[in-house]
Amino acid sequence: MPGATPEINTPVNYGEDQLRGFGVARGEILPLAFVIITTAVMDWFKSYLNGRTQYVRSSTTSSSPSAVLYGVPQGSILGPIVFLLYTADLLQLVIRHRLHPHAYADDTQMYGSCIPPDTDMLQERMSVCVDGVSLWMASNRLLLNPAKTEVLWCSSARRQHQIPTGSVRIGNMSVVPVPVVRDLGVYIDPDLRMSAHNTATVRACFAALRQILIVRRSLTREALLILLRALVITNVDYCSSTLAGVSSALLQRLQSVSVLFDWCSLQGDQKISRHFYVNYTG
């Protein structure tokens, strides 16, 4: 995350999505340039990937089985591991362009930083790196998805007026920078104050609480607590470490969720219920 970037720097984040990522890990060869494994482990991988067949069935009619030469079984535990091994070279490619990669499954982010006068140079370096990534993917039976690529420029609140607003070249497309990106369920805004993530979290919690209040009197206390923990507490706890150091105003908004949660768990009276609908549901 570029949150620790000094104030004079302007980080930029590119997010990419690799199409068909889990469907193209080759069974016969894995590019393990940066991974050392023993012969026994390699044989284990080969036995898992090779010799698989697939067919199509419609009603009572089935096609003839055909060999699966590429890919790993969808939903398998080993699938993500094989894919990470398969794309290990991609991260090194990004590093060679003096950028910082971060990958999770088939989502890849690239980060870079610069002083405000050098934003054009950083933007060009990013575009050149994306070109290299696209070529690497094409040679490894992957496909870069420009439609899911987002660009976010970040800076301190005092330098928001200096961040570029023009489009960025991503392959043959021009991508306009966005004001907020969503990365693994966390909303990131340009000033890294996490106000967008806070708003989304509070909105999701209040929406869940509204639904729970409608059926609250029909639930046992145990069922009520299960719903509150599953639909409210999980939203508050998810990636809560990203909210460390946020302003007191944002913390107060989260605290309002906690107060209402406590009241619901204690099964408050109808008067407070009407007050909630007036003040929180509009």
Side-chain angles (χ1 to χ4, degrees):
M1 301 294 294
T5 304
E7 181 179 320
I8 62 172
N9 284 359
T10 304
V12 60
N13 167 38
Y14 281 63
E16 301 169 355
D17 192 282
Q18 300 158 22
L19 291 181
R20 302 191 298 274
F22 285 94
V24 296
R26 289 176 284 184
E28 70 277 10
I29 298 176
L30 288 173
L32 304 177
F34 299 95
V35 180
I36 300 175
I37 61 176
T38 64
T39 302
V41 174
M42 177 60 80
D43 292 340
W44 179 65
F45 273 112
K46 288 181 178 180
S47 68
Y48 175 76
L49 295 172
N50 292 335
R52 293 186 177 274
T53 59
Q54 64 181 3
Y55 65 92
V56 177
R57 183 173 63 184
S58 176
S59 185
T60 58
T61 304
S62 300
S63 65
S64 300
S66 59
V68 178
L69 302 179
Y70 305 96
V72 294
Q74 295 290 321
S76 63
I77 296 176
L78 193 58
I81 299 176
V82 175
F83 181 76
L84 290 176
L85 295 176
Y86 187 77
T87 58
D89 293 345
L90 176 62
L91 302 184
Q92 298 300 319
L93 173 62
V94 175
I95 292 174
R96 285 197 295 270
H97 284 84
R98 294 180 291 120
L99 298 171
H100 305 285
H102 181 270
Y104 180 84
D106 62 339
D107 291 315
T108 304
Q109 291 85 42
M110 298 188 305
Y111 302 88
S113 63
C114 68
I115 59 176
D118 294 339
T119 53
D120 290 341
M121 296 175 58
L122 176 60
Q123 181 171 306
E124 179 61 23
R125 192 162 80 245
M126 283 280 187
S127 296
V128 171
C129 182
V130 171
D131 291 339
V133 169
S134 181
L135 289 174
W136 182 90
M137 288 184 176
S139 64
N140 287 276
R141 296 183 174 87
L142 293 170
L143 180 63
L144 178 67
N145 188 358
K148 288 188 176 182
T149 299
E150 294 180 313
V151 178
L152 175 68
W153 289 94
C154 300
S155 72
S156 65
R158 291 169 50 190
R159 295 186 178 272
Q160 285 291 304
H161 65 283
Q162 293 181 297
I163 61 177
T165 58
S167 59
V168 179
R169 181 181 63 83
I170 302 296
N172 296 324
M173 295 182 58
S174 295
V175 178
V176 178
V178 295
V180 177
V181 295
R182 186 173 183 264
D183 184 17
L184 301 179
V186 177
Y187 293 85
I188 305 174
D189 33 34
D191 56 8
L192 299 176
R193 293 185 177 182
M194 304 306 295
S195 58
H197 183 65
N198 181 281
T199 299
T201 300
V202 172
R203 183 187 297 117
C205 290
F206 279 137
L209 285 167
R210 280 198 299 270
Q211 298 300 317
I212 293 174
L213 280 173
I214 294 175
V215 298
R216 179 177 57 85
R217 297 189 182 280
S218 301
L219 300 173
T220 64
R221 177 170 175 77
E222 181 180 0
L224 175 64
L225 291 176
I226 291 175
L227 285 177
L228 288 172
R229 290 167 183 154
L231 302 179
V232 180
I233 293 300
T234 53
N235 278 308
V236 176
D237 286 346
Y238 181 73
C239 291
S240 58
S241 60
T242 60
L243 299 176
V246 299
S247 65
S248 57
L250 295 181
L251 288 179
Q252 288 177 0
R253 297 188 64 190
L254 288 175
Q255 184 64 26
S256 66
V257 174
S258 176
V259 170
L260 190 58
F261 173 89
D262 292 340
W263 169 77
C264 286
S265 63
L266 295 175
Q267 297 186 339
D269 58 31
Q270 189 174 6
K271 179 179 179 181
I272 301 180
S273 178
R274 288 197 300 269
H275 173 77
F276 167 74
Y277 278 108
V278 171
N279 287 279
Y280 295 103
T281 67

